Amino acid sequence: MLDGLKGAFKVSELRNKILFTLAMIFIFRLGTHVPVPGVDVAKFQELIGQGMLFGFFDVISGGAFKSFSVFAMSIVPYINASIIMQLLTVVIPHLEKLAKEGEEGRKKISQYTRYFTVVLAFLQAIGMSAVMGRSGTLHNPGFTSYVVIVITLTAGTALLMWIGEQITEYGIGNGISLLIFAGIVSRLPAGINNLIMQLQAGTINILSLLILVVIGALVIAAVVAVQEGQRRIPVQYAKRVVGRRVYGGQTTHLPLKVNQAGVIPVIFASSLLMFPAQIAQWFQGSAVADFFTRYFGWGTAAHTVAYALLIIGFTYFYTAVIMNPVDVAENIKKYGGFIPGIRPGRPTAEYIARVMNRITLAGAVFLALIAILPNFILLATRIPNIYFGGTALLIVVGVALDTMKQIESHLLMRSYQGFIK
């Protein structure tokens, strides 16, 4: 990895991409320290308390939520908009048609997602400002203050969405994932400092801390193993005679990743469960909110089960979106290939689908176990508020691996170009 980074800075084009990405992340980090005007941050922090839900939300927003900066809502409205648009793509024929039109269709769907993100951000900002006005966290409650807060929060989310898309287009890696990655990494020093303070105060002991470190190392190793794990299906290509030349005849393989969806299902499930729990926390005192907090709050058995099931469901859904066995089978057949022992066409598609379902189940269960890991860490170590545990490690390691793969692919492409020239 270090050799890859060294080589990346020697290539001017790749170096510019990395520097552009770092510049965009710097703007993101700068925005997390710009407060929303008219808000009493101290009272807001008392309002949200120190709950696990808001702790994790603060981690993925890079501290922007707790300080109520212009990026307080983070990129969550964009993620929710993406989830809804992908679900609608399966239901609405027009969107399904656009998804099959290639690059132009995807651009149109992306445009719809942007518009929908602004709408969701606007509605969420209205809800936040209304709750804050009622709870006394505004310096001068009034129509002007509400308008300023709503516009600021919506503009902050729209700017984050633009930054993420700029990183994807002109930088290196997936922009939205990198913003979440940067937010988590920026909060790790505060988490480590909190552990040290608890150790000095005698709240936890050194044995608990060592167990936490060992569990973290094992989780990182497991994430890398699963992210890199593949099921390779052998594919044989028949010989073809074109003119005087013979093409094909070689044996290759179709690589199916154990975790085809990456960290997207975890991010989707976290964002989906965060919204109703956030609303319930703000409306404390009502019977519905108290019932939800008691039985479906962050860390409860019902919430943990729902979280795991959502992750498994989103893993299957996202895997089906990005890889269609019928299309793969048709492409293999078109180029004269076949899987040994399986007839081309529909039998091949059914075989690939069966294999994908089995390995996707393993990947989905793994993601779910890693995501609910903090609950087990709390039982094993008695260390409270481990909200930067399994999910954060999964996102950080997954995004780092994907980004390094993109860097290595750029370097490999550069080497091939030099060889051809």
PDB file of all heavy atoms in Angstrom, residues 4-23 170-172 407 410-411 414:
ATOM      1  N   GLY A   4       2.368   1.743  -3.305  1.00  0.00           N
ATOM      2  CA  GLY A   4       1.373   2.275  -4.236  1.00  0.00           C
ATOM      3  C   GLY A   4       1.194   3.770  -4.077  1.00  0.00           C
ATOM      4  O   GLY A   4       1.076   4.511  -5.062  1.00  0.00           O
ATOM      5  N   LEU A   5       1.153   4.250  -2.819  1.00  0.00           N
ATOM      6  CA  LEU A   5       1.015   5.689  -2.578  1.00  0.00           C
ATOM      7  C   LEU A   5       2.234   6.450  -3.073  1.00  0.00           C
ATOM      8  O   LEU A   5       2.115   7.547  -3.634  1.00  0.00           O
ATOM      9  CB  LEU A   5       0.806   5.948  -1.082  1.00  0.00           C
ATOM     10  CG  LEU A   5      -0.565   5.551  -0.512  1.00  0.00           C
ATOM     11  CD1 LEU A   5      -0.587   5.723   0.997  1.00  0.00           C
ATOM     12  CD2 LEU A   5      -1.662   6.403  -1.150  1.00  0.00           C
ATOM     13  N   LYS A   6       3.425   5.847  -2.850  1.00  0.00           N
ATOM     14  CA  LYS A   6       4.648   6.503  -3.348  1.00  0.00           C
ATOM     15  C   LYS A   6       4.624   6.619  -4.852  1.00  0.00           C
ATOM     16  O   LYS A   6       4.949   7.656  -5.429  1.00  0.00           O
ATOM     17  CB  LYS A   6       5.859   5.654  -2.913  1.00  0.00           C
ATOM     18  CG  LYS A   6       6.552   6.189  -1.687  1.00  0.00           C
ATOM     19  CD  LYS A   6       7.850   5.443  -1.509  1.00  0.00           C
ATOM     20  CE  LYS A   6       7.930   4.996  -0.071  1.00  0.00           C
ATOM     21  NZ  LYS A   6       9.113   4.166   0.199  1.00  0.00           N
ATOM     22  N   GLY A   7       4.256   5.515  -5.516  1.00  0.00           N
ATOM     23  CA  GLY A   7       4.178   5.530  -6.977  1.00  0.00           C
ATOM     24  C   GLY A   7       3.118   6.487  -7.494  1.00  0.00           C
ATOM     25  O   GLY A   7       3.275   7.095  -8.553  1.00  0.00           O
ATOM     26  N   ALA A   8       2.023   6.649  -6.732  1.00  0.00           N
ATOM     27  CA  ALA A   8       0.942   7.536  -7.172  1.00  0.00           C
ATOM     28  C   ALA A   8       1.407   8.985  -7.243  1.00  0.00           C
ATOM     29  O   ALA A   8       1.034   9.728  -8.155  1.00  0.00           O
ATOM     30  CB  ALA A   8      -0.249   7.415  -6.221  1.00  0.00           C
ATOM     31  N   PHE A   9       2.245   9.408  -6.299  1.00  0.00           N
ATOM     32  CA  PHE A   9       2.704  10.798  -6.287  1.00  0.00           C
ATOM     33  C   PHE A   9       3.774  11.063  -7.338  1.00  0.00           C
ATOM     34  O   PHE A   9       4.127  12.210  -7.586  1.00  0.00           O
ATOM     35  CB  PHE A   9       3.223  11.170  -4.902  1.00  0.00           C
ATOM     36  CG  PHE A   9       2.137  11.565  -3.947  1.00  0.00           C
ATOM     37  CD1 PHE A   9       1.608  10.641  -3.064  1.00  0.00           C
ATOM     38  CD2 PHE A   9       1.621  12.850  -3.945  1.00  0.00           C
ATOM     39  CE1 PHE A   9       0.587  10.989  -2.191  1.00  0.00           C
ATOM     40  CE2 PHE A   9       0.608  13.218  -3.073  1.00  0.00           C
ATOM     41  CZ  PHE A   9       0.084  12.278  -2.198  1.00  0.00           C
ATOM     42  N   LYS A  10       4.289  10.004  -7.958  1.00  0.00           N
ATOM     43  CA  LYS A  10       5.256  10.195  -9.037  1.00  0.00           C
ATOM     44  C   LYS A  10       4.584  10.430 -10.381  1.00  0.00           C
ATOM     45  O   LYS A  10       5.215  10.915 -11.311  1.00  0.00           O
ATOM     46  CB  LYS A  10       6.177   8.965  -9.132  1.00  0.00           C
ATOM     47  CG  LYS A  10       7.102   8.808  -7.931  1.00  0.00           C
ATOM     48  CD  LYS A  10       7.947   7.547  -8.064  1.00  0.00           C
ATOM     49  CE  LYS A  10       8.821   7.355  -6.826  1.00  0.00           C
ATOM     50  NZ  LYS A  10       9.593   6.090  -6.912  1.00  0.00           N
ATOM     51  N   VAL A  11       3.314  10.066 -10.485  1.00  0.00           N
ATOM     52  CA  VAL A  11       2.549  10.262 -11.717  1.00  0.00           C
ATOM     53  C   VAL A  11       1.765  11.567 -11.582  1.00  0.00           C
ATOM     54  O   VAL A  11       0.947  11.710 -10.670  1.00  0.00           O
ATOM     55  CB  VAL A  11       1.588   9.084 -11.965  1.00  0.00           C
ATOM     56  CG1 VAL A  11       0.800   9.295 -13.252  1.00  0.00           C
ATOM     57  CG2 VAL A  11       2.363   7.763 -12.017  1.00  0.00           C
ATOM     58  N   SER A  12       2.011  12.511 -12.475  1.00  0.00           N
ATOM     59  CA  SER A  12       1.432  13.852 -12.336  1.00  0.00           C
ATOM     60  C   SER A  12      -0.104  13.820 -12.346  1.00  0.00           C
ATOM     61  O   SER A  12      -0.746  14.480 -11.525  1.00  0.00           O
ATOM     62  CB  SER A  12       1.947  14.765 -13.449  1.00  0.00           C
ATOM     63  OG  SER A  12       1.595  14.236 -14.716  1.00  0.00           O
ATOM     64  N   GLU A  13      -0.692  13.044 -13.255  1.00  0.00           N
ATOM     65  CA  GLU A  13      -2.150  13.006 -13.350  1.00  0.00           C
ATOM     66  C   GLU A  13      -2.774  12.452 -12.076  1.00  0.00           C
ATOM     67  O   GLU A  13      -3.740  13.010 -11.539  1.00  0.00           O
ATOM     68  CB  GLU A  13      -2.564  12.149 -14.550  1.00  0.00           C
ATOM     69  CG  GLU A  13      -4.065  12.072 -14.749  1.00  0.00           C
ATOM     70  CD  GLU A  13      -4.455  11.114 -15.870  1.00  0.00           C
ATOM     71  OE1 GLU A  13      -3.549  10.603 -16.563  1.00  0.00           O
ATOM     72  OE2 GLU A  13      -5.660  10.888 -16.043  1.00  0.00           O
ATOM     73  N   LEU A  14      -2.194  11.361 -11.579  1.00  0.00           N
ATOM     74  CA  LEU A  14      -2.725  10.742 -10.365  1.00  0.00           C
ATOM     75  C   LEU A  14      -2.461  11.626  -9.151  1.00  0.00           C
ATOM     76  O   LEU A  14      -3.299  11.725  -8.243  1.00  0.00           O
ATOM     77  CB  LEU A  14      -2.094   9.361 -10.182  1.00  0.00           C
ATOM     78  CG  LEU A  14      -2.766   8.409  -9.191  1.00  0.00           C
ATOM     79  CD1 LEU A  14      -4.246   8.270  -9.475  1.00  0.00           C
ATOM     80  CD2 LEU A  14      -2.097   7.050  -9.229  1.00  0.00           C
ATOM     81  N   ARG A  15      -1.303  12.280  -9.144  1.00  0.00           N
ATOM     82  CA  ARG A  15      -0.986  13.194  -8.039  1.00  0.00           C
ATOM     83  C   ARG A  15      -1.998  14.339  -7.966  1.00  0.00           C
ATOM     84  O   ARG A  15      -2.451  14.725  -6.890  1.00  0.00           O
ATOM     85  CB  ARG A  15       0.423  13.742  -8.209  1.00  0.00           C
ATOM     86  CG  ARG A  15       0.851  14.661  -7.054  1.00  0.00           C
ATOM     87  CD  ARG A  15       2.312  15.065  -7.162  1.00  0.00           C
ATOM     88  NE  ARG A  15       2.569  15.841  -8.370  1.00  0.00           N
ATOM     89  CZ  ARG A  15       3.336  15.430  -9.387  1.00  0.00           C
ATOM     90  NH1 ARG A  15       3.883  14.221  -9.340  1.00  0.00           N
ATOM     91  NH2 ARG A  15       3.535  16.187 -10.445  1.00  0.00           N
ATOM     92  N   ASN A  16      -2.369  14.868  -9.122  1.00  0.00           N
ATOM     93  CA  ASN A  16      -3.352  15.953  -9.156  1.00  0.00           C
ATOM     94  C   ASN A  16      -4.721  15.477  -8.649  1.00  0.00           C
ATOM     95  O   ASN A  16      -5.428  16.214  -7.961  1.00  0.00           O
ATOM     96  CB  ASN A  16      -3.490  16.497 -10.581  1.00  0.00           C
ATOM     97  CG  ASN A  16      -2.246  17.224 -11.037  1.00  0.00           C
ATOM     98  OD1 ASN A  16      -1.464  17.711 -10.211  1.00  0.00           O
ATOM     99  ND2 ASN A  16      -2.037  17.307 -12.340  1.00  0.00           N
ATOM    100  N   LYS A  17      -5.089  14.236  -9.002  1.00  0.00           N
ATOM    101  CA  LYS A  17      -6.353  13.691  -8.512  1.00  0.00           C
ATOM    102  C   LYS A  17      -6.346  13.565  -6.989  1.00  0.00           C
ATOM    103  O   LYS A  17      -7.332  13.903  -6.315  1.00  0.00           O
ATOM    104  CB  LYS A  17      -6.611  12.311  -9.141  1.00  0.00           C
ATOM    105  CG  LYS A  17      -7.067  12.356 -10.602  1.00  0.00           C
ATOM    106  CD  LYS A  17      -7.272  10.950 -11.129  1.00  0.00           C
ATOM    107  CE  LYS A  17      -7.835  10.957 -12.545  1.00  0.00           C
ATOM    108  NZ  LYS A  17      -9.252  11.370 -12.573  1.00  0.00           N
ATOM    109  N   ILE A  18      -5.243  13.067  -6.442  1.00  0.00           N
ATOM    110  CA  ILE A  18      -5.149  12.900  -4.986  1.00  0.00           C
ATOM    111  C   ILE A  18      -5.169  14.253  -4.287  1.00  0.00           C
ATOM    112  O   ILE A  18      -5.862  14.440  -3.272  1.00  0.00           O
ATOM    113  CB  ILE A  18      -3.872  12.112  -4.625  1.00  0.00           C
ATOM    114  CG1 ILE A  18      -3.968  10.677  -5.157  1.00  0.00           C
ATOM    115  CG2 ILE A  18      -3.664  12.094  -3.117  1.00  0.00           C
ATOM    116  CD1 ILE A  18      -2.707   9.863  -4.970  1.00  0.00           C
ATOM    117  N   LEU A  19      -4.424  15.218  -4.810  1.00  0.00           N
ATOM    118  CA  LEU A  19      -4.398  16.553  -4.208  1.00  0.00           C
ATOM    119  C   LEU A  19      -5.765  17.222  -4.287  1.00  0.00           C
ATOM    120  O   LEU A  19      -6.187  17.912  -3.346  1.00  0.00           O
ATOM    121  CB  LEU A  19      -3.338  17.424  -4.903  1.00  0.00           C
ATOM    122  CG  LEU A  19      -1.885  17.000  -4.675  1.00  0.00           C
ATOM    123  CD1 LEU A  19      -0.933  17.880  -5.478  1.00  0.00           C
ATOM    124  CD2 LEU A  19      -1.530  17.078  -3.181  1.00  0.00           C
ATOM    125  N   PHE A  20      -6.477  17.020  -5.406  1.00  0.00           N
ATOM    126  CA  PHE A  20      -7.825  17.577  -5.529  1.00  0.00           C
ATOM    127  C   PHE A  20      -8.759  16.956  -4.489  1.00  0.00           C
ATOM    128  O   PHE A  20      -9.553  17.661  -3.847  1.00  0.00           O
ATOM    129  CB  PHE A  20      -8.368  17.324  -6.940  1.00  0.00           C
ATOM    130  CG  PHE A  20      -9.766  17.824  -7.158  1.00  0.00           C
ATOM    131  CD1 PHE A  20      -9.991  19.161  -7.473  1.00  0.00           C
ATOM    132  CD2 PHE A  20     -10.864  16.978  -7.036  1.00  0.00           C
ATOM    133  CE1 PHE A  20     -11.291  19.638  -7.664  1.00  0.00           C
ATOM    134  CE2 PHE A  20     -12.149  17.447  -7.226  1.00  0.00           C
ATOM    135  CZ  PHE A  20     -12.359  18.782  -7.541  1.00  0.00           C
ATOM    136  N   THR A  21      -8.646  15.631  -4.299  1.00  0.00           N
ATOM    137  CA  THR A  21      -9.468  14.946  -3.295  1.00  0.00           C
ATOM    138  C   THR A  21      -9.183  15.481  -1.900  1.00  0.00           C
ATOM    139  O   THR A  21     -10.104  15.756  -1.115  1.00  0.00           O
ATOM    140  CB  THR A  21      -9.207  13.433  -3.342  1.00  0.00           C
ATOM    141  OG1 THR A  21      -9.494  12.951  -4.656  1.00  0.00           O
ATOM    142  CG2 THR A  21     -10.066  12.691  -2.337  1.00  0.00           C
ATOM    143  N   LEU A  22      -7.891  15.657  -1.577  1.00  0.00           N
ATOM    144  CA  LEU A  22      -7.515  16.184  -0.260  1.00  0.00           C
ATOM    145  C   LEU A  22      -8.023  17.611  -0.069  1.00  0.00           C
ATOM    146  O   LEU A  22      -8.443  17.987   1.034  1.00  0.00           O
ATOM    147  CB  LEU A  22      -5.992  16.138  -0.094  1.00  0.00           C
ATOM    148  CG  LEU A  22      -5.368  14.737  -0.022  1.00  0.00           C
ATOM    149  CD1 LEU A  22      -3.851  14.831   0.036  1.00  0.00           C
ATOM    150  CD2 LEU A  22      -5.898  13.973   1.191  1.00  0.00           C
ATOM    151  N   ALA A  23      -7.999  18.412  -1.138  1.00  0.00           N
ATOM    152  CA  ALA A  23      -8.506  19.784  -1.050  1.00  0.00           C
ATOM    153  C   ALA A  23     -10.006  19.798  -0.766  1.00  0.00           C
ATOM    154  O   ALA A  23     -10.497  20.589   0.054  1.00  0.00           O
ATOM    155  CB  ALA A  23      -8.202  20.547  -2.349  1.00  0.00           C
ATOM    156  N   TYR A 170     -13.505  14.129 -10.514  1.00  0.00           N
ATOM    157  CA  TYR A 170     -12.176  14.684 -10.778  1.00  0.00           C
ATOM    158  C   TYR A 170     -11.099  14.181  -9.816  1.00  0.00           C
ATOM    159  O   TYR A 170      -9.914  14.390 -10.053  1.00  0.00           O
ATOM    160  CB  TYR A 170     -12.214  16.219 -10.696  1.00  0.00           C
ATOM    161  CG  TYR A 170     -13.154  16.844 -11.686  1.00  0.00           C
ATOM    162  CD1 TYR A 170     -14.344  17.431 -11.276  1.00  0.00           C
ATOM    163  CD2 TYR A 170     -12.854  16.849 -13.056  1.00  0.00           C
ATOM    164  CE1 TYR A 170     -15.218  17.998 -12.184  1.00  0.00           C
ATOM    165  CE2 TYR A 170     -13.732  17.412 -13.971  1.00  0.00           C
ATOM    166  CZ  TYR A 170     -14.905  17.990 -13.524  1.00  0.00           C
ATOM    167  OH  TYR A 170     -15.761  18.550 -14.428  1.00  0.00           O
ATOM    168  N   GLY A 171     -11.530  13.535  -8.734  1.00  0.00           N
ATOM    169  CA  GLY A 171     -10.563  13.045  -7.761  1.00  0.00           C
ATOM    170  C   GLY A 171     -10.356  11.548  -7.872  1.00  0.00           C
ATOM    171  O   GLY A 171     -10.453  10.966  -8.953  1.00  0.00           O
ATOM    172  N   ILE A 172     -10.104  10.935  -6.734  1.00  0.00           N
ATOM    173  CA  ILE A 172      -9.882   9.492  -6.690  1.00  0.00           C
ATOM    174  C   ILE A 172     -10.829   8.884  -5.659  1.00  0.00           C
ATOM    175  O   ILE A 172     -11.040   9.445  -4.590  1.00  0.00           O
ATOM    176  CB  ILE A 172      -8.398   9.170  -6.327  1.00  0.00           C
ATOM    177  CG1 ILE A 172      -8.067   7.715  -6.664  1.00  0.00           C
ATOM    178  CG2 ILE A 172      -8.067   9.517  -4.896  1.00  0.00           C
ATOM    179  CD1 ILE A 172      -7.783   7.491  -8.110  1.00  0.00           C
ATOM    180  N   ILE A 407      -6.364   3.539  -7.103  1.00  0.00           N
ATOM    181  CA  ILE A 407      -5.005   4.062  -7.309  1.00  0.00           C
ATOM    182  C   ILE A 407      -4.149   3.039  -8.036  1.00  0.00           C
ATOM    183  O   ILE A 407      -3.413   3.359  -8.985  1.00  0.00           O
ATOM    184  CB  ILE A 407      -4.375   4.451  -5.957  1.00  0.00           C
ATOM    185  CG1 ILE A 407      -5.104   5.664  -5.365  1.00  0.00           C
ATOM    186  CG2 ILE A 407      -2.889   4.764  -6.118  1.00  0.00           C
ATOM    187  CD1 ILE A 407      -4.626   6.055  -3.978  1.00  0.00           C
ATOM    188  N   HIS A 410      -5.049   2.810 -11.711  1.00  0.00           N
ATOM    189  CA  HIS A 410      -4.479   3.936 -12.459  1.00  0.00           C
ATOM    190  C   HIS A 410      -2.995   3.711 -12.728  1.00  0.00           C
ATOM    191  O   HIS A 410      -2.504   3.979 -13.836  1.00  0.00           O
ATOM    192  CB  HIS A 410      -4.674   5.239 -11.678  1.00  0.00           C
ATOM    193  CG  HIS A 410      -6.022   5.852 -11.856  1.00  0.00           C
ATOM    194  ND1 HIS A 410      -6.401   6.552 -12.987  1.00  0.00           N
ATOM    195  CD2 HIS A 410      -7.111   5.868 -11.035  1.00  0.00           C
ATOM    196  CE1 HIS A 410      -7.646   6.973 -12.858  1.00  0.00           C
ATOM    197  NE2 HIS A 410      -8.103   6.558 -11.681  1.00  0.00           N
ATOM    198  N   LEU A 411      -2.284   3.212 -11.715  1.00  0.00           N
ATOM    199  CA  LEU A 411      -0.847   2.941 -11.892  1.00  0.00           C
ATOM    200  C   LEU A 411      -0.627   1.836 -12.915  1.00  0.00           C
ATOM    201  O   LEU A 411       0.297   1.910 -13.733  1.00  0.00           O
ATOM    202  CB  LEU A 411      -0.215   2.555 -10.545  1.00  0.00           C
ATOM    203  CG  LEU A 411      -0.073   3.668  -9.510  1.00  0.00           C
ATOM    204  CD1 LEU A 411       0.407   3.108  -8.184  1.00  0.00           C
ATOM    205  CD2 LEU A 411       0.900   4.733 -10.009  1.00  0.00           C
ATOM    206  N   ARG A 414      -1.171   3.164 -16.334  1.00  0.00           N
ATOM    207  CA  ARG A 414      -0.015   3.983 -16.721  1.00  0.00           C
ATOM    208  C   ARG A 414       1.147   3.095 -17.165  1.00  0.00           C
ATOM    209  O   ARG A 414       1.840   3.389 -18.144  1.00  0.00           O
ATOM    210  CB  ARG A 414       0.404   4.835 -15.523  1.00  0.00           C
ATOM    211  CG  ARG A 414       1.626   5.693 -15.748  1.00  0.00           C
ATOM    212  CD  ARG A 414       1.243   6.962 -16.455  1.00  0.00           C
ATOM    213  NE  ARG A 414       2.410   7.834 -16.620  1.00  0.00           N
ATOM    214  CZ  ARG A 414       2.356   9.052 -17.115  1.00  0.00           C
ATOM    215  NH1 ARG A 414       1.196   9.536 -17.525  1.00  0.00           N
ATOM    216  NH2 ARG A 414       3.432   9.774 -17.245  1.00  0.00           N
TER     217      ARG A 414
END
